[in-house]
Amino acid sequence: MAILAVILNLLLFYSVNSVEKFICKYFCQKTIVFVSADFDNLDEKFNFVLHLNQPKVIINPQNSLDLENFDNYVIAEQNLSTLWSSIDLLKYQINTRGNFLVILQVNTTEEVTKSIFETLWSFYIYNVVVYTNWSSFVTWYPYDFANRCGTAINLVEVNSLNPYKHKIPTNFGGCPINFTWNETPLAVKSPFDKTDPGYDVRFLDAIAQPLNISPCYLTENQKFDLAVGHVDVKEDMIKRKIDAGFLLTHVYLSLGPESEISLHYFETYAFFVLPPRQKIISSTETLLIFSPDIWSAIFAALLLMTVVWKNMTRMSLETSFFEIIRLLLQGTIGNIPRTISTRLILAAFFFYVLNLNWIYVSQLSGILSQPSYEPKITTLRQLGLSNKQLRYDDMWFWFFSSLEEHRKIIEKRIESDKAATFYDELEDFLAQRTYGIITSDRRILFIKNYEKLHVVSQSQLATIRSHLVVRKGLPLLDKINDVILRVRQSGLMSYWLYESQAHIKKSSVADYEEVEGHLDLERIVSAVVLLGMGYVLSAVVFVLEMMYANFKALKINI
Protein backbone atom coordinates (compact mmCIF):
# COMPACT_ATOMS: atom_id res chain seq x y z
CA MET A 1 0.00 0.00 0.00
CA ALA A 2 2.85 2.40 0.80
CA ILE A 3 4.37 1.81 -2.63
CA LEU A 4 0.99 2.45 -4.28
CA ALA A 5 0.63 5.75 -2.39
CA VAL A 6 4.07 6.92 -3.56
CA ILE A 7 3.21 6.04 -7.16
CA LEU A 8 -0.08 7.96 -6.96
CA ASN A 9 1.68 11.00 -5.53
CA LEU A 10 4.25 10.93 -8.33
CA LEU A 11 1.52 10.63 -10.97
CA LEU A 12 -0.32 13.54 -9.37
CA PHE A 13 2.86 15.60 -9.25
CA TYR A 14 3.69 15.13 -12.91
CA SER A 15 0.09 15.66 -14.01
CA VAL A 16 0.05 19.30 -12.88
CA ASN A 17 1.68 22.15 -14.75
CA SER A 18 5.18 23.48 -13.98
CA VAL A 19 4.03 26.60 -12.14
CA GLU A 20 1.83 24.61 -9.79
CA LYS A 21 4.68 22.20 -9.06
CA PHE A 22 7.01 25.15 -8.37
CA ILE A 23 4.53 26.67 -5.92
CA CYS A 24 3.95 23.36 -4.17
CA LYS A 25 7.71 22.86 -3.81
CA TYR A 26 8.91 26.30 -2.66
CA PHE A 27 5.97 28.13 -1.14
CA CYS A 28 5.77 25.74 1.81
CA GLN A 29 1.98 25.40 2.08
CA LYS A 30 1.66 28.98 3.30
CA THR A 31 -0.80 31.62 2.15
CA ILE A 32 -0.16 32.85 -1.40
CA VAL A 33 -0.89 36.44 -2.43
CA PHE A 34 -1.88 36.35 -6.09
CA VAL A 35 -1.57 39.76 -7.77
CA SER A 36 -2.82 40.90 -11.16
CA ALA A 37 -4.01 44.20 -12.55
CA ASP A 38 -6.33 42.50 -15.07
CA PHE A 39 -7.98 39.31 -13.83
CA ASP A 40 -10.54 39.31 -16.66
CA ASN A 41 -7.90 38.79 -19.34
CA LEU A 42 -5.66 36.27 -17.59
CA ASP A 43 -4.47 33.29 -19.57
CA GLU A 44 -6.32 30.03 -18.90
CA LYS A 45 -3.07 28.57 -17.67
CA PHE A 46 -3.62 30.47 -14.42
CA ASN A 47 -6.85 28.64 -13.63
CA PHE A 48 -4.90 26.25 -11.43
CA VAL A 49 -4.62 29.03 -8.81
CA LEU A 50 -8.31 28.73 -8.01
CA HIS A 51 -7.87 25.04 -7.23
CA LEU A 52 -4.75 25.24 -5.05
CA ASN A 53 -5.17 23.67 -1.64
CA GLN A 54 -3.08 26.41 -0.06
CA PRO A 55 -4.75 29.50 1.43
CA LYS A 56 -4.69 32.38 -1.02
CA VAL A 57 -5.37 36.10 -1.25
CA ILE A 58 -6.28 37.33 -4.75
CA ILE A 59 -5.96 41.09 -5.13
CA ASN A 60 -5.81 43.89 -7.62
CA PRO A 61 -2.95 46.33 -6.82
CA GLN A 62 -5.26 49.32 -6.97
CA ASN A 63 -7.45 47.92 -4.20
CA SER A 64 -4.79 46.24 -2.10
CA LEU A 65 -4.68 46.32 1.69
CA ASP A 66 -1.73 45.81 4.02
CA LEU A 67 -0.05 42.58 2.88
CA GLU A 68 3.20 42.76 4.83
CA ASN A 69 2.40 39.74 6.97
CA PHE A 70 2.63 37.37 4.00
CA ASP A 71 5.74 35.70 2.60
CA ASN A 72 4.71 34.31 -0.80
CA TYR A 73 3.62 36.40 -3.78
CA VAL A 74 2.69 35.42 -7.35
CA ILE A 75 2.48 38.38 -9.75
CA ALA A 76 0.93 37.80 -13.15
CA GLU A 77 0.82 40.73 -15.58
CA GLN A 78 0.41 41.33 -19.29
CA ASN A 79 3.72 43.11 -19.89
CA LEU A 80 6.67 44.87 -18.27
CA SER A 81 4.94 48.27 -18.06
CA THR A 82 1.95 46.83 -16.21
CA LEU A 83 4.32 44.97 -13.90
CA TRP A 84 6.11 48.19 -12.95
CA SER A 85 2.80 49.95 -12.26
CA SER A 86 1.58 47.12 -10.03
CA ILE A 87 4.81 47.00 -8.00
CA ASP A 88 4.77 50.79 -7.63
CA LEU A 89 1.28 50.57 -6.12
CA LEU A 90 2.22 47.67 -3.81
CA LYS A 91 5.71 48.66 -2.73
CA TYR A 92 4.70 49.89 0.75
CA GLN A 93 2.00 47.28 1.37
CA ILE A 94 3.97 44.08 0.78
CA ASN A 95 6.85 42.27 2.45
CA THR A 96 9.66 43.12 0.04
CA ARG A 97 11.82 40.39 1.63
CA GLY A 98 9.26 37.70 0.76
CA ASN A 99 9.39 35.14 -2.06
CA PHE A 100 8.18 36.38 -5.46
CA LEU A 101 7.23 34.46 -8.58
CA VAL A 102 6.71 36.77 -11.58
CA ILE A 103 4.99 35.64 -14.78
CA LEU A 104 4.42 37.72 -17.90
CA GLN A 105 1.78 36.37 -20.27
CA VAL A 106 3.77 37.38 -23.34
CA ASN A 107 6.91 35.67 -24.53
CA THR A 108 10.02 37.46 -23.27
CA THR A 109 13.58 37.82 -24.48
CA GLU A 110 16.59 37.66 -22.20
CA GLU A 111 16.75 41.46 -22.12
CA VAL A 112 13.11 41.70 -21.04
CA THR A 113 13.73 39.12 -18.34
CA LYS A 114 16.66 41.16 -17.05
CA SER A 115 14.43 44.23 -17.06
CA ILE A 116 11.96 42.39 -14.82
CA PHE A 117 14.69 41.82 -12.24
CA GLU A 118 15.89 45.42 -12.59
CA THR A 119 12.34 46.67 -12.05
CA LEU A 120 11.90 44.75 -8.82
CA TRP A 121 15.45 45.52 -7.66
CA SER A 122 14.67 49.25 -7.94
CA PHE A 123 12.24 48.60 -5.07
CA TYR A 124 14.75 46.33 -3.26
CA ILE A 125 12.75 43.20 -4.08
CA TYR A 126 15.44 40.58 -4.65
CA ASN A 127 13.96 37.16 -3.76
CA VAL A 128 12.53 36.84 -7.28
CA VAL A 129 12.05 33.97 -9.70
CA VAL A 130 10.75 34.69 -13.22
CA TYR A 131 8.85 32.08 -15.19
CA THR A 132 9.82 32.83 -18.78
CA ASN A 133 7.89 31.83 -21.87
CA TRP A 134 5.93 29.20 -19.93
CA SER A 135 8.96 26.99 -20.04
CA SER A 136 11.76 27.78 -17.56
CA PHE A 137 12.43 29.41 -14.19
CA VAL A 138 15.31 31.86 -13.79
CA THR A 139 16.62 33.95 -10.91
CA TRP A 140 19.69 36.03 -9.95
CA TYR A 141 21.92 36.82 -6.96
CA PRO A 142 22.37 40.60 -6.58
CA TYR A 143 25.66 40.52 -4.68
CA ASP A 144 27.49 37.94 -6.77
CA PHE A 145 30.67 39.26 -8.32
CA ALA A 146 29.23 38.86 -11.83
CA ASN A 147 26.26 41.08 -10.94
CA ARG A 148 28.47 43.97 -9.76
CA CYS A 149 26.49 44.79 -6.59
CA GLY A 150 23.13 44.70 -8.35
CA THR A 151 24.09 46.98 -11.24
CA ALA A 152 24.20 44.08 -13.72
CA ILE A 153 21.87 41.11 -14.10
CA ASN A 154 23.36 37.67 -14.56
CA LEU A 155 20.55 35.16 -15.05
CA VAL A 156 20.73 31.79 -13.32
CA GLU A 157 18.58 28.80 -14.30
CA VAL A 158 16.66 27.40 -11.34
CA ASN A 159 17.78 23.87 -10.59
CA SER A 160 17.18 21.54 -7.66
CA LEU A 161 18.50 24.08 -5.13
CA ASN A 162 16.05 26.45 -3.44
CA PRO A 163 16.19 29.69 -5.49
CA TYR A 164 15.02 31.73 -2.48
CA LYS A 165 17.92 30.86 -0.20
CA HIS A 166 21.41 32.32 0.07
CA LYS A 167 20.46 35.51 -1.81
CA ILE A 168 22.11 37.72 0.81
CA PRO A 169 25.75 36.82 1.54
CA THR A 170 27.75 37.40 4.70
CA ASN A 171 30.48 39.19 2.75
CA PHE A 172 29.22 41.89 0.37
CA GLY A 173 32.46 42.19 -1.56
CA GLY A 174 32.95 45.92 -1.02
CA CYS A 175 29.58 46.92 -2.47
CA PRO A 176 28.81 50.65 -1.94
CA ILE A 177 25.95 52.04 0.14
CA ASN A 178 24.88 55.63 -0.46
CA PHE A 179 24.66 57.33 2.91
CA THR A 180 23.12 60.70 3.73
CA TRP A 181 24.17 62.69 6.78
CA ASN A 182 23.83 66.02 8.52
CA GLU A 183 26.29 67.58 10.92
CA THR A 184 25.35 66.68 14.49
CA PRO A 185 27.29 67.74 17.61
CA LEU A 186 29.78 65.00 18.56
CA ALA A 187 27.93 62.37 16.51
CA VAL A 188 28.66 63.51 12.94
CA LYS A 189 31.38 66.12 12.52
CA SER A 190 32.59 65.21 9.04
CA PRO A 191 32.64 61.70 7.56
CA PHE A 192 35.57 62.75 5.38
CA ASP A 193 37.77 63.52 8.40
CA LYS A 194 39.51 60.25 9.19
CA THR A 195 40.99 61.45 12.49
CA ASP A 196 37.85 62.81 14.21
CA PRO A 197 34.69 62.19 12.13
CA GLY A 198 32.30 61.81 15.08
CA TYR A 199 31.18 58.73 16.94
CA ASP A 200 28.29 57.91 14.57
CA VAL A 201 30.69 57.79 11.62
CA ARG A 202 33.13 55.65 13.58
CA PHE A 203 30.25 53.30 14.32
CA LEU A 204 29.26 53.01 10.65
CA ASP A 205 32.87 52.46 9.56
CA ALA A 206 33.15 49.74 12.21
CA ILE A 207 30.06 47.79 11.09
CA ALA A 208 31.09 48.17 7.43
CA GLN A 209 34.29 46.18 8.00
CA PRO A 210 32.83 42.76 8.94
CA LEU A 211 30.15 43.10 6.24
CA ASN A 212 32.71 44.33 3.68
CA ILE A 213 30.55 47.20 2.45
CA SER A 214 31.73 50.65 1.38
CA PRO A 215 29.77 53.60 2.84
CA CYS A 216 29.57 56.40 0.26
CA TYR A 217 28.77 59.62 2.11
CA LEU A 218 26.75 61.91 -0.12
CA THR A 219 28.26 65.35 -0.49
CA GLU A 220 24.98 67.10 -1.34
CA ASN A 221 23.00 66.80 1.86
CA GLN A 222 19.77 68.26 3.08
CA LYS A 223 17.60 68.01 6.17
CA PHE A 224 16.32 64.47 6.15
CA ASP A 225 13.09 64.66 8.13
CA LEU A 226 11.52 61.22 8.45
CA ALA A 227 8.42 62.16 10.42
CA VAL A 228 5.16 60.68 9.18
CA GLY A 229 3.56 62.80 6.47
CA HIS A 230 6.78 64.25 5.08
CA VAL A 231 6.05 64.03 1.34
CA ASP A 232 9.64 64.31 0.11
CA VAL A 233 11.07 61.31 1.95
CA LYS A 234 10.30 58.55 -0.54
CA GLU A 235 11.11 60.77 -3.51
CA ASP A 236 14.39 61.83 -1.95
CA MET A 237 15.45 58.26 -1.15
CA ILE A 238 14.59 56.98 -4.63
CA LYS A 239 15.71 59.93 -6.78
CA ARG A 240 19.00 60.44 -4.97
CA LYS A 241 19.40 56.66 -4.57
CA ILE A 242 19.82 56.96 -0.82
CA ASP A 243 20.25 53.62 0.90
CA ALA A 244 20.61 54.73 4.51
CA GLY A 245 21.17 57.62 6.90
CA PHE A 246 21.55 58.50 10.56
CA LEU A 247 18.42 58.98 12.62
CA LEU A 248 17.62 60.09 16.18
CA THR A 249 14.28 58.84 17.45
CA HIS A 250 12.21 59.94 20.43
CA VAL A 251 9.27 58.24 22.06
CA TYR A 252 6.89 60.18 19.84
CA LEU A 253 8.63 59.63 16.48
CA SER A 254 7.52 56.95 14.03
CA LEU A 255 8.48 56.36 10.43
CA GLY A 256 6.44 56.25 7.30
CA PRO A 257 6.10 53.10 5.19
CA GLU A 258 8.91 54.15 2.85
CA SER A 259 11.58 53.60 5.51
CA GLU A 260 12.78 51.09 8.07
CA ILE A 261 15.09 51.53 11.02
CA SER A 262 17.80 49.37 12.49
CA LEU A 263 18.20 48.41 16.10
CA HIS A 264 19.45 51.32 18.19
CA TYR A 265 23.20 51.42 18.73
CA PHE A 266 23.38 54.29 21.21
CA GLU A 267 21.01 56.06 23.57
CA THR A 268 21.03 59.24 25.57
CA TYR A 269 18.57 60.98 27.88
CA ALA A 270 16.99 64.43 27.74
CA PHE A 271 16.51 66.56 30.86
CA PHE A 272 15.80 70.14 31.80
CA VAL A 273 19.07 71.81 32.75
CA LEU A 274 18.94 75.02 34.79
CA PRO A 275 21.68 77.51 35.67
CA PRO A 276 23.61 76.87 38.89
CA ARG A 277 21.57 77.57 41.98
CA GLN A 278 22.31 81.11 43.03
CA LYS A 279 23.15 82.18 46.57
CA ILE A 280 20.42 84.27 48.15
CA ILE A 281 20.25 86.37 51.30
CA SER A 282 17.96 84.83 53.90
CA SER A 283 16.11 87.65 55.67
CA THR A 284 12.68 86.17 56.34
CA GLU A 285 13.46 82.62 57.44
CA THR A 286 13.89 82.98 61.19
CA LEU A 287 10.68 81.10 61.88
CA LEU A 288 11.82 78.34 59.54
CA ILE A 289 14.81 77.45 61.69
CA PHE A 290 12.69 74.69 63.17
CA SER A 291 10.24 72.67 61.16
CA PRO A 292 6.52 72.76 62.05
CA ASP A 293 6.88 69.34 63.68
CA ILE A 294 9.62 70.58 66.02
CA TRP A 295 7.68 73.74 66.88
CA SER A 296 4.69 71.53 67.72
CA ALA A 297 6.88 69.31 69.94
CA ILE A 298 8.26 72.38 71.76
CA PHE A 299 4.76 73.76 72.40
CA ALA A 300 3.59 70.35 73.66
CA ALA A 301 6.58 70.19 76.04
CA LEU A 302 5.69 73.63 77.45
CA LEU A 303 2.09 72.56 78.07
CA LEU A 304 3.20 69.32 79.73
CA MET A 305 5.70 71.16 81.97
CA THR A 306 2.98 73.68 82.91
CA VAL A 307 0.70 70.89 84.15
CA VAL A 308 3.57 69.17 86.02
CA TRP A 309 4.66 72.48 87.65
CA LYS A 310 1.08 73.25 88.70
CA ASN A 311 0.75 69.91 90.48
CA MET A 312 4.13 70.23 92.24
CA THR A 313 3.83 73.86 93.39
CA ARG A 314 0.05 74.05 93.94
CA MET A 315 -0.09 77.19 91.78
CA SER A 316 -2.92 78.06 89.49
CA LEU A 317 -2.64 76.87 85.90
CA GLU A 318 -2.30 80.46 84.67
CA THR A 319 0.50 81.29 87.13
CA SER A 320 2.28 78.02 86.39
CA PHE A 321 2.20 78.71 82.63
CA PHE A 322 3.74 82.17 83.02
CA GLU A 323 6.43 80.73 85.33
CA ILE A 324 7.44 78.29 82.60
CA ILE A 325 7.44 81.04 79.97
CA ARG A 326 9.60 83.16 82.30
CA LEU A 327 12.03 80.28 82.68
CA LEU A 328 12.08 79.82 78.91
CA LEU A 329 12.72 83.48 78.08
CA GLN A 330 14.71 84.79 81.09
CA GLY A 331 16.28 81.64 82.51
CA THR A 332 14.96 82.48 86.01
CA ILE A 333 12.03 81.50 88.18
CA GLY A 334 10.16 83.28 90.95
CA ASN A 335 10.26 80.72 93.78
CA ILE A 336 12.91 78.01 94.05
CA PRO A 337 11.21 74.68 94.87
CA ARG A 338 12.08 73.11 98.25
CA THR A 339 11.89 69.36 97.55
CA ILE A 340 14.71 67.47 95.81
CA SER A 341 12.39 65.84 93.24
CA THR A 342 10.96 69.21 92.25
CA ARG A 343 14.44 70.70 91.92
CA LEU A 344 15.59 67.77 89.71
CA ILE A 345 12.61 68.21 87.40
CA LEU A 346 13.29 71.95 87.23
CA ALA A 347 16.99 71.36 86.48
CA ALA A 348 16.16 68.89 83.70
CA PHE A 349 13.73 71.33 82.10
CA PHE A 350 16.22 74.19 82.52
CA PHE A 351 18.87 72.06 80.75
CA TYR A 352 16.34 71.37 77.96
CA VAL A 353 15.56 75.09 77.59
CA LEU A 354 19.26 76.00 77.58
CA ASN A 355 20.05 73.56 74.78
CA LEU A 356 17.02 74.73 72.83
CA ASN A 357 18.26 78.33 73.06
CA TRP A 358 21.77 77.37 71.98
CA ILE A 359 20.47 75.50 68.94
CA TYR A 360 18.14 78.31 67.95
CA VAL A 361 20.77 81.05 68.34
CA SER A 362 23.42 79.11 66.41
CA GLN A 363 21.01 78.39 63.55
CA LEU A 364 19.80 82.00 63.57
CA SER A 365 23.33 83.39 63.36
CA GLY A 366 24.08 81.06 60.43
CA ILE A 367 21.01 82.22 58.53
CA LEU A 368 21.66 85.89 59.21
CA SER A 369 25.38 85.81 58.37
CA GLN A 370 25.66 83.19 55.63
CA PRO A 371 23.75 83.23 52.33
CA SER A 372 21.71 80.15 51.34
CA TYR A 373 20.93 78.69 47.91
CA GLU A 374 17.82 78.79 45.77
CA PRO A 375 15.50 75.82 46.39
CA LYS A 376 16.59 72.64 44.61
CA ILE A 377 14.26 71.62 41.77
CA THR A 378 14.16 67.90 41.05
CA THR A 379 10.81 67.32 39.29
CA LEU A 380 8.80 68.94 36.52
CA ARG A 381 6.06 69.75 39.00
CA GLN A 382 8.48 71.77 41.10
CA LEU A 383 9.79 73.41 37.94
CA GLY A 384 6.27 74.46 36.97
CA LEU A 385 5.73 76.06 40.39
CA SER A 386 9.05 77.91 40.30
CA ASN A 387 9.79 81.29 38.75
CA LYS A 388 12.28 79.86 36.23
CA GLN A 389 11.88 80.75 32.57
CA LEU A 390 12.49 78.01 30.01
CA ARG A 391 13.63 77.78 26.40
CA TYR A 392 13.00 74.71 24.23
CA ASP A 393 12.01 73.68 20.70
CA ASP A 394 8.44 73.40 19.45
CA MET A 395 8.71 69.61 19.26
CA TRP A 396 8.46 69.38 23.06
CA PHE A 397 4.98 70.93 23.14
CA TRP A 398 3.39 67.51 22.71
CA PHE A 399 5.01 66.33 25.93
CA PHE A 400 4.04 69.25 28.15
CA SER A 401 0.54 69.62 26.73
CA SER A 402 -0.33 65.94 27.21
CA LEU A 403 -0.31 66.15 31.02
CA GLU A 404 -2.31 68.75 32.94
CA GLU A 405 0.30 69.01 35.68
CA HIS A 406 2.90 70.13 33.14
CA ARG A 407 0.85 72.88 31.49
CA LYS A 408 2.57 75.55 33.60
CA ILE A 409 5.86 74.71 31.91
CA ILE A 410 4.38 75.90 28.61
CA GLU A 411 3.50 79.24 30.21
CA LYS A 412 7.14 79.72 31.24
CA ARG A 413 8.53 79.26 27.74
CA ILE A 414 10.42 82.11 26.11
CA GLU A 415 10.90 82.31 22.37
CA SER A 416 14.24 81.35 20.85
CA ASP A 417 15.99 82.41 17.69
CA LYS A 418 14.91 80.00 14.94
CA ALA A 419 18.17 80.53 13.04
CA ALA A 420 20.41 79.94 16.05
CA THR A 421 22.62 76.85 16.00
CA PHE A 422 23.11 74.51 18.92
CA TYR A 423 26.39 76.24 19.75
CA ASP A 424 24.76 79.71 19.69
CA GLU A 425 21.99 78.54 22.02
CA LEU A 426 24.51 76.99 24.40
CA GLU A 427 26.63 80.14 24.58
CA ASP A 428 23.56 82.29 25.21
CA PHE A 429 22.37 79.95 27.97
CA LEU A 430 25.74 80.13 29.73
CA ALA A 431 25.99 83.89 29.29
CA GLN A 432 22.46 84.75 30.46
CA ARG A 433 22.04 82.19 33.24
CA THR A 434 18.43 83.29 33.68
CA TYR A 435 16.51 80.43 32.06
CA GLY A 436 16.59 76.66 31.65
CA ILE A 437 17.06 74.57 28.51
CA ILE A 438 16.48 70.98 27.43
CA THR A 439 19.62 69.07 26.61
CA SER A 440 20.95 65.53 26.77
CA ASP A 441 23.65 63.86 28.82
CA ARG A 442 25.65 63.74 25.58
CA ARG A 443 25.44 67.40 24.54
CA ILE A 444 26.10 68.59 28.07
CA LEU A 445 29.69 67.44 27.47
CA PHE A 446 30.22 70.68 25.53
CA ILE A 447 30.33 72.41 28.93
CA LYS A 448 33.65 72.06 30.74
CA ASN A 449 32.36 72.32 34.31
CA TYR A 450 28.83 71.06 33.69
CA GLU A 451 28.74 69.71 37.26
CA LYS A 452 27.82 73.24 38.37
CA LEU A 453 24.55 73.15 36.43
CA HIS A 454 21.29 72.26 38.11
CA VAL A 455 19.70 69.20 36.47
CA VAL A 456 16.02 68.38 37.01
CA SER A 457 17.16 64.84 37.62
CA GLN A 458 13.98 63.03 38.67
CA SER A 459 11.99 63.92 35.53
CA GLN A 460 13.59 62.43 32.43
CA LEU A 461 11.85 63.85 29.37
CA ALA A 462 12.77 61.27 26.75
CA THR A 463 15.16 58.53 25.78
CA ILE A 464 16.82 59.53 22.51
CA ARG A 465 18.11 56.57 20.52
CA SER A 466 20.50 56.52 17.57
CA HIS A 467 19.52 54.29 14.65
CA LEU A 468 20.29 53.80 11.01
CA VAL A 469 17.31 54.53 8.80
CA VAL A 470 17.24 52.56 5.56
CA ARG A 471 15.11 52.50 2.49
CA LYS A 472 12.34 49.92 2.74
CA GLY A 473 13.56 46.43 1.88
CA LEU A 474 17.31 47.12 2.06
CA PRO A 475 18.78 43.59 1.94
CA LEU A 476 21.55 44.42 4.41
CA LEU A 477 19.28 45.39 7.31
CA ASP A 478 19.27 42.01 9.05
CA LYS A 479 23.05 41.72 8.71
CA ILE A 480 23.49 45.27 10.02
CA ASN A 481 21.34 44.45 13.06
CA ASP A 482 23.52 41.43 13.84
CA VAL A 483 26.65 43.60 13.86
CA ILE A 484 24.91 46.31 15.92
CA LEU A 485 24.22 43.78 18.67
CA ARG A 486 27.92 42.91 18.79
CA VAL A 487 28.94 46.58 18.85
CA ARG A 488 26.54 47.31 21.73
CA GLN A 489 27.88 44.41 23.74
CA SER A 490 31.48 45.50 23.18
CA GLY A 491 31.08 48.96 24.78
CA LEU A 492 32.82 50.62 21.83
CA MET A 493 30.21 53.40 21.59
CA SER A 494 31.29 54.82 24.97
CA TYR A 495 34.90 54.83 23.80
CA TRP A 496 34.03 56.57 20.52
CA LEU A 497 31.94 59.14 22.42
CA TYR A 498 34.91 59.86 24.68
CA GLU A 499 37.18 60.30 21.65
CA SER A 500 34.70 62.65 19.98
CA GLN A 501 34.48 65.00 22.97
CA ALA A 502 38.14 64.85 24.07
CA HIS A 503 39.39 67.63 21.79
CA ILE A 504 36.32 69.82 21.27
CA LYS A 505 36.23 73.41 22.40
CA LYS A 506 34.23 73.52 25.61
CA SER A 507 32.47 76.45 27.25
CA SER A 508 32.53 77.13 30.96
CA VAL A 509 29.90 77.99 33.53
CA ALA A 510 30.94 81.27 35.12
CA ASP A 511 30.61 81.71 38.88
CA TYR A 512 28.13 84.16 40.35
CA GLU A 513 29.41 87.16 42.31
CA GLU A 514 30.09 86.19 45.88
CA VAL A 515 27.60 87.42 48.46
CA GLU A 516 29.28 89.19 51.39
CA GLY A 517 29.13 87.42 54.74
CA HIS A 518 28.91 90.37 57.20
CA LEU A 519 25.67 91.32 58.88
CA ASP A 520 23.69 94.30 57.68
CA LEU A 521 20.15 95.61 58.08
CA GLU A 522 18.90 93.71 55.04
CA ARG A 523 19.87 90.40 56.62
CA ILE A 524 18.54 91.04 60.10
CA VAL A 525 15.32 92.71 58.98
CA SER A 526 13.23 89.77 60.19
CA ALA A 527 14.89 89.84 63.60
CA VAL A 528 14.36 93.62 63.81
CA VAL A 529 10.69 93.18 62.83
CA LEU A 530 10.15 90.53 65.50
CA LEU A 531 11.92 92.69 68.11
CA GLY A 532 9.76 95.67 67.17
CA MET A 533 6.63 93.57 67.43
CA GLY A 534 7.77 92.46 70.91
CA TYR A 535 8.32 96.05 72.05
CA VAL A 536 4.93 97.13 70.71
CA LEU A 537 3.23 94.19 72.41
CA SER A 538 5.06 95.02 75.69
CA ALA A 539 3.88 98.62 75.50
CA VAL A 540 0.30 97.51 74.86
CA VAL A 541 0.43 95.13 77.85
CA PHE A 542 1.93 97.87 80.03
CA VAL A 543 -0.84 100.28 79.11
CA LEU A 544 -3.50 97.64 79.73
CA GLU A 545 -2.01 96.79 83.13
CA MET A 546 -1.97 100.48 84.10
CA MET A 547 -5.58 100.85 83.02
CA TYR A 548 -6.54 97.71 84.92
CA ALA A 549 -4.72 98.92 88.07
CA ASN A 550 -6.44 102.33 87.93
CA PHE A 551 -9.80 100.73 87.33
CA LYS A 552 -9.29 98.39 90.30
CA ALA A 553 -8.23 101.27 92.58
CA LEU A 554 -11.19 103.36 91.51
CA LYS A 555 -13.55 100.47 92.25
CA ILE A 556 -12.11 100.03 95.78
CA ASN A 557 -12.52 103.73 96.62
CA ILE A 558 -16.13 103.64 95.54
Side-chain angles (χ1 to χ4, degrees), residues 480-491:
I480 288 174
N481 283 336
D482 291 340
V483 181
I484 286 175
L485 288 174
R486 298 203 296 270
V487 170
R488 278 165 46 177
Q489 293 169 358
S490 69

Side-chain angles (χ1 to χ4, degrees), residues 360-377:
Y360 184 86
V361 171
S362 62
Q363 293 291 330
L364 178 62
S365 62
I367 287 179
L368 295 179
S369 61
Q370 294 297 325
S372 61
Y373 286 91
E374 294 176 313
K376 189 174 181 63
I377 299 173

Side-chain angles (χ1 to χ4, degrees), residues 71-82:
D71 296 320
N72 300 315
Y73 302 86
V74 177
I75 303 178
E77 298 297 354
Q78 296 286 344
N79 51 52
L80 186 62
S81 175
T82 309

Side-chain angles (χ1 to χ4, degrees), residues 309 312-313 335-344 346:
W309 193 252
M312 289 191 305
T313 60
N335 299 315
I336 302 298
R338 298 179 180 276
T339 63
I340 296 178
S341 59
T342 308
R343 290 183 178 185
L344 289 176
L346 179 63

Side-chain angles (χ1 to χ4, degrees), residues 33-36 39 57-68 70 73 85-94:
V33 178
F34 190 80
V35 180
S36 179
F39 285 105
V57 176
I58 301 176
I59 58 106
N60 185 307
Q62 294 181 343
N63 302 318
S64 63
L65 302 175
D66 187 3
L67 304 170
E68 282 202 82
F70 301 102
Y73 302 86
S85 300
S86 296
I87 297 298
D88 189 53
L89 290 171
L90 290 171
K91 60 180 181 280
Y92 299 137
Q93 282 78 44
I94 59 176

